[in-house]
Every structure is written in structure tokens, then in C-alpha cells.
Amino acid sequence: MGRVCSLFHSLLFVSSLLFASETLVSSRTLEKRPPLVPGLSWNYYFPLECPTLEWIIRNNLEKAFKKNSGLAPGILRLFFHDCFANGCDASILLDAPDGKDEKSHPANVGIRQEALLAIEELRRVIYKRCLPVVSCSDILVVAAREAVRQMGGPDFDVPLGRKDSLTFDLDGPNNLPPPFFRTQQLLEVFGKRDFDATDVVALSGAHTYGRAHCSSLVNRTIESDPPIDPDFKNKLVATCPTPQSSNTVNLDARTPTTFDNMYYINLLNRQGVFTSDQDLASHPQTKEIVNLFASNRKEFFDSFADAFVKVSQIDVITSRQGKGEIRDRCFVANKKSSVEAVAEELVELAEAI
């Protein structure tokens, strides 16, 4: 009888974990969600491969964010710089022996080491619970969603099923829009990937927390177009007297560690840190969207969630698309056995014939 009770309680515990995982869904589950690329799914790891994946990531990051609130914007930036540069394939995580990898690109200055380590730590914990069935790219996507949700932002579902890249692309970060871009340039860059003006304004709202290095905002200290509040400009100059200054500036001085819509209110007050931010409040295609998001947090949250999901599907590698893998460690590609190498060569030869 005791053994039966023990088995019952074990099954009950497992069922509770499955229920917790299944109920980690957003309030928008029943509403229209962005379409998915082939190979991705809203419940890819459920119910067999890793049903508690999102619970594991959520639980571990809750502890990490309490210790270091700056980790959240660091992870969100890592996600965007991975996806928009070369597709959501975790290529930004790969280390090169000579240090010449995607992280060394000038566009990735300031990528937080603790954010990189957090993704690898999540992989280690997940592999203990689920074995190596979850890609580093999927872990990064879920972690980035948590970096938004746990700091006050929207909760929403993310599709999963990505594979990790086998290598990195040193030129990939050239696709990242720099902070001195004007709005028209942003619209053109994002437009090439089917993002509209609402997406651009919503994604820019990620600058509602985090920090900026002086080298990325120097033009705001010497230019008056787009407009800048004089007192705000004086504070920037005091913090960043030269582009080489090692100081940093909060992207949102009012609520620097909270994901909210204060960013847009700052823009209306001419207190955007980057040129690419402030110009949104003046451009004819984006200024009304800025006004809407400043006055309606739900509109911002819903638009951000949709745009995030669109970013998370840029040039993904899935079991149906391209060659990828589930890395044993996020920082290095897996070593292939001689059998695997020969098999790949035969497949490539057959395709060529």
C-alpha cells in the first residue's frame, strides 16, 4: 500500500509540473498570433521532450534578476543582436579561438558577459532535467521573453523548435541598425525583413530599460536635430564628455530597471538617448504611434509581443530548413564523428548530382 501511495504522489508531482508548464501561457493565447515559419511550434517540447522547459527558465531567471536587474536588458539585447544580425541561431554565442567572432564586432560593443554566461547556465540546468534536446537558440528566445515579462513587461507565448548554427558570420552584425540612424533609415532596414512602422516603434521600446555607452550617443551631445531637452543634453554631456568615456547612461532615467512605456513619454519630452529613438517622435510615419504607446501601455505591450515573435523567427534553422544542431555547449559547435562527416559529404554529393 505504501509503495502505491508513493507512486501516486510521484505521478501527482509530475502532473503538477506538466500543468505548470502548460499554463505558462499569455493572456493573448486565444487571440490572433503571428504566423509561424515551418518547423516551429507553440508547444514544440510539450508534452514529451522537455515539458517543464519554460518553468525551468522562468524559475532560474527569477533568482538571477533579483541579484542583478541589469541582466534582463542584457539578455534582451543579446537576443536581438543574434536574430537581426544573422538569424535566430545562437551564432552570437559561439566563441572563436582567436577572439574574432560576432561578439567582437563593433556593433556588439557592450554585450554583457553575464548575459552570455546566463544562457550557458540555463543550458546546463535544462540538460540535467531534459537531456540535450533543447537548442541554445530556443533557450535564448525564452530567456529574452522572461527578461521582458519579469521586469514588468507583457507575458506572451513564443514558438520553439530552432536548431543552433554550426558556425558564426563575422559580417552578420553589419545588419544591425546603429543608434545614430534616422527613422527613415530604420524603416528601410526593417522593411526589408517585412517589419512595418508599428513593429519598428514597438521594438525600439526595448530601450525602456538598460544602459548606453558614451560612444553610441556622442552625436546627441553635439547636435540639436532631432530636438533634445537642454537640461537633458547637459546631463548627457556631463556623463559623456568624450566618446571614449567609460561611463554609461540609463536609457530611461525615470524607470531604468522596469519594462514599461515610459520610454515613449521620454521621447515626447525630447529625452531620447539615441538619435534613432528621438527621431521616432517627429517622423510622419511613426510620431502618432509614439503618442499612442505613450498613452496606452496595453497597445505597446501587445505590439511589442507580436514584433518580438516576428524577430524570433528571422532566418531560423529548423529540422525542415537548413543544417543545424543541438549544441552540447552553447559557446562551441559540436565535434562531429568521422561517420557523421562522411554521411554529410555523401548527402552533399547526392544533392549535387
Side-chain angles (χ1 to χ4, degrees), residues 87-314:
C88 299
D89 58 6
S91 60
I92 196 171
L93 300 179
L94 289 173
D95 289 337
D98 61 359
K100 295 180 180 179
D101 48 41
E102 289 184 25
K103 295 182 291 296
S104 67
H105 192 283
N108 287 325
V109 169
I111 288 290
R112 298 194 184 195
Q113 181 68 15
E114 60 264 38
L116 297 165
L117 294 175
I119 302 304
E120 173 61 15
E121 174 62 16
L122 287 171
R123 181 210 58 76
R124 188 186 65 80
V125 174
I126 291 166
Y127 283 18
K128 282 187 175 180
R129 304 281 186 89
C130 302
L131 301 178
V133 296
V134 182
S135 66
C136 296
S137 48
D138 273 350
I139 293 171
L140 178 55
V141 168
V142 178
R145 190 275 311 278
E146 287 303 300
V148 172
R149 187 197 72 86
Q150 294 193 32
M151 306 309 287
D155 190 7
F156 52 94
D157 299 328
V158 290
L160 301 174
R162 298 164 193 79
K163 296 294 186 288
D164 299 323
S165 66
L166 306 179
T167 186
F168 54 81
D169 180 3
L170 286 174
D171 295 325
N174 290 334
N175 295 320
L176 294 165
F180 54 79
F181 260 17
R182 304 301 291 258
T183 298
Q184 190 57 45
Q185 293 170 294
L186 287 180
L187 293 174
E188 291 171 2
V189 169
F190 279 86
K192 292 177 181 177
R193 293 190 165 180
D194 296 324
F195 290 86
D196 60 23
T198 298
D199 295 326
V200 171
V201 179
L203 290 171
S204 297
H207 292 164
T208 189
Y209 62 0
R211 61 193 185 191
H213 292 262
C214 292
S215 59
S216 61
L217 57 88
V218 61
N219 56 315
R220 289 290 280 160
T221 66
I222 59 177
E223 298 173 358
S224 57
D225 181 30
I228 184 169
D229 174 74
D231 291 337
F232 182 69
K233 182 177 182 178
N234 290 337
K235 291 179 181 179
L236 290 184
V237 172
T239 304
C240 296
T242 69
Q244 293 74 35
S245 173
S246 60
N247 295 330
T248 58
V249 174
N250 286 326
L251 290 170
D252 176 359
R254 292 179 172 84
T255 55
T257 61
T258 303
F259 194 99
D260 55 22
N261 64 333
M262 188 60 68
Y263 162 85
Y264 301 102
I265 296 173
N266 292 337
L267 299 188
L268 296 181
N269 289 320
R270 298 175 297 160
Q271 295 177 354
V273 173
F274 296 142
T275 293
S276 59
D277 292 329
Q278 189 58 55
D279 201 39
L280 294 170
S282 305
H283 193 277
Q285 287 182 255
T286 56
K287 62 181 181 181
E288 292 306 321
I289 304 172
V290 170
N291 286 328
L292 173 64
F293 290 168
S295 61
N296 192 322
R297 189 181 69 169
K298 185 178 185 305
E299 285 288 342
F300 164 47
F301 279 8
D302 288 350
S303 296
F304 181 87
D306 286 344
F308 181 106
V309 171
K310 289 174 69 174
V311 171
S312 78
Q313 299 187 78
I314 294 176

